[in-house]
């Protein structure tokens, strides 16, 4: 009886401690949950040495002979490889060998104080990552700022890239209104505004989550600011170069994206008429995270179809 009572008390204490940890550091608890989910799905957290240092990445390898089709996924501004978690699991099941690095300055990758964190610097970082893994030819996908980085890799090093996928991508001469304010939130209200733009159907972010998110922003704000400075300079926009892209291109866009509206996705498609544009209904800027089933399915279909689909526009009903 005493043993059962002690176990009961232990469960209560652990529950209270867990609740307190979630209240004080909800983002940390969420990250641990993501790490556990990826571990249980046999998605590995690895490191590789590059000229920039010891780079962290997630690797999802399907249990098939030959290791699967290589695919490198590049995250966006102020983010990390963990945001690809829903896609990693699904693309692994679809037969892809997926590598998702933390970009320079983000996640668990190096944060050199003297880097400008420009699109050019991040593109070189991704090229170094691909070469460090020994990949001879890989598909590559990028989300938001990561799409811009991905395009620079494909334009400057077409010999490394087989096919390209963009998810609600930056990279054209279009700047969201007040971007320098949006990604430099000063209080909970500013953070809620950013959340509403990123995911218009996400609802109100709880105050304790906003408080923790503001701490996270402050810790990495200098890296985000340098990346934004590079993007706002316009030096690396790809409008004039997109027609010269060699690899086939898939553009996946949330129909309700409020940060980079669908008109930007259509502009990408117009600049490369060979590309395929897939519009995911009811999804916002975070489509790969909030609508992963449909986005992963569209990705797999494009990357596996021979020859690559060309010139079409499809509207995809939302699926979770």
């Amino acid at each position: 009886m005493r043993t059962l009572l002690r176990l009961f008390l232990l469960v209560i204490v652990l529950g209270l401690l867990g609740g307190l940890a979630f209240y004080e550091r909800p983002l940390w608890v969420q990250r641990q949950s993501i790490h556990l989910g990826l571990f249980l799905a046999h998605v590995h957290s690895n490191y590789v040495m590059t000229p920039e240092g010891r780079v962290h990445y997630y690797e999802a390898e399907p249990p098939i002979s030959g290791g699967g089709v290589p695919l490198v996924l590049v995250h966006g501004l102020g983010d990390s490889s963990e945001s690809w978690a829903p896609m990693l699991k699904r693309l692994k099941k679809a037969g892809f060998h997926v590598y998702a690095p933390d970009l320079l300055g983000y996640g668990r990758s190096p944060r050199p104080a003297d880097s400008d964190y420009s699109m050019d610097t991040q593109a070189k970082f991704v090229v170094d990552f691909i070469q460090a893994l020994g990949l001879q030819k890989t598909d590559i996908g990028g989300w938001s700022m990561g799409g811009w980085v991905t395009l620079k890799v494909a334009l400057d090093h077409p010999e490394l890239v087989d096919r390209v996928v963009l998810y609600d991508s930056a990279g054209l001469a279009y700047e969201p209104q007040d971007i320098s304010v949006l990604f430099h939130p000063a209080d909970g209200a500013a953070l809620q505004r950013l959340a509403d733009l990123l995911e218009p159907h996400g609802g109100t972010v709880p105050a304790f989550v906003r408080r923790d998110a503001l701490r996270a922003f402050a810790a990495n704000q200098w890296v985000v600011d340098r990346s934004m400075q590079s993007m706002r300079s316009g030096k690396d926009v790809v409008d004039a170069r997109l027609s010269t892209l060699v690899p086939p291109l898939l553009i996946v866009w949330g129909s309700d994206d409020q940060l980079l509206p669908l008109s930007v996705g259509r502009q990408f498609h117009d600049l490369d008429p060979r590309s395929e544009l897939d519009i995911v209904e009811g999804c916002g800027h975070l489509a790969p995270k909030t609508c992963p089933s449909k986005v992963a399915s569209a990705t797999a279909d494009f990357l596996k179809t021979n020859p690559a689909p060309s010139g079409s526009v499809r509207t995809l009903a939302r699926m979770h």
Side-chain angles (χ1 to χ4, degrees):
M1 187 67 179
R2 287 184 178 179
T3 301
L4 289 175
L5 180 60
R6 288 172 180 170
L7 287 174
F8 179 70
L9 291 174
L10 178 61
V11 169
I12 291 177
V13 170
L14 291 175
L16 290 172
L17 290 174
L20 179 62
F22 181 68
Y23 181 77
E24 290 296 330
R25 290 291 187 271
L27 299 185
W28 180 87
V29 173
Q30 181 187 45
R31 284 195 300 272
Q32 306 320 303
S33 176
I34 292 173
H35 297 166
L36 178 60
L38 290 172
F39 174 78
L40 294 176
H42 303 287
V43 176
H44 304 293
S45 175
N46 294 333
Y47 290 85
V48 65
M49 286 301 302
T50 74
E52 292 82 5
R54 189 168 178 260
V55 172
H56 173 261
Y57 67 101
Y58 279 108
E59 181 175 5
E61 183 177 6
I64 59 175
S65 176
V69 178
L71 170 61
V72 173
L73 295 177
V74 183
H75 67 77
L77 180 68
D79 212 339
S80 72
S81 57
E82 293 160 355
S83 285
W84 289 112
M87 293 280 287
L88 289 172
K89 299 172 186 178
R90 288 166 172 81
L91 291 170
K92 174 183 175 178
K93 290 180 181 178
F96 292 89
H97 191 157
V98 192
Y99 307 86
D102 288 329
L103 284 174
L104 193 68
Y106 297 98
R108 287 173 273 178
S109 284
R111 302 170 68 195
D114 59 348
S115 175
D116 60 3
Y117 297 100
S118 66
M119 302 306 98
D120 193 55
T121 295
Q122 295 289 14
K124 178 183 181 302
F125 175 85
V126 173
V127 168
D128 289 341
F129 174 76
I130 290 171
Q131 293 176 335
L133 293 176
L135 302 178
Q136 300 301 312
K137 197 86 167 179
T138 181
D139 296 326
I140 186 169
W143 181 0
S144 195
M145 182 191 78
W148 193 343
V149 173
T150 292
L151 278 173
K152 283 191 61 63
V153 172
L155 287 165
D156 295 341
H157 298 276
E159 74 282 0
L160 296 178
V161 178
D162 192 15
R163 299 185 187 185
V164 179
V165 185
L166 301 181
Y167 306 96
D168 296 81
S169 180
L172 300 183
Y174 171 87
E175 181 180 315
Q177 186 177 7
D178 300 327
I179 185 174
S180 60
V181 176
L182 284 172
F183 283 91
H184 201 137
D187 52 33
L191 192 69
Q192 182 65 54
R193 182 186 175 208
L194 176 59
D196 291 340
L197 288 174
L198 291 174
E199 184 44 53
H201 311 298
T204 302
V205 179
F208 73 98
V209 177
R210 293 201 302 265
R211 183 177 64 245
D212 197 29
L214 286 170
R215 282 194 293 258
F217 258 101
N220 217 42
Q221 191 68 64
W222 65 279
V223 174
V224 173
D225 288 347
R226 290 187 191 180
S227 294
M228 283 195 300
Q229 184 178 2
S230 167
M231 289 189 287
R232 297 188 70 191
S233 73
K235 181 174 71 73
D236 295 317
V237 293
V238 299
D239 304 59
R241 300 184 63 195
L242 200 56
S243 63
T244 68
L245 183 69
V246 174
L249 173 63
L250 169 66
I251 304 159
V252 183
W253 220 272
S255 65
D256 297 348
D257 192 334
Q258 302 297 308
L259 184 69
L260 294 171
L262 179 57
S263 59
V264 177
R266 294 190 184 279
Q267 186 179 356
F268 271 111
H269 180 57
D270 291 342
L271 289 171
D272 183 359
R274 301 173 306 135
S275 65
E276 175 178 322
L277 172 61
D278 286 354
I279 303 165
V280 188
E281 285 189 331
C283 302
H285 190 70
L286 305 183
K289 189 174 183 178
T290 59
C291 307
S293 293
K294 186 57 67 174
V295 173
S297 178
T299 301
D301 288 348
F302 178 82
L303 295 181
K304 287 185 173 182
T305 301
N306 285 306
S310 176
S312 62
V313 178
R314 302 190 305 165
T315 300
L316 313 175
R318 178 173 181 171
M319 289 175 55
H320 289 287

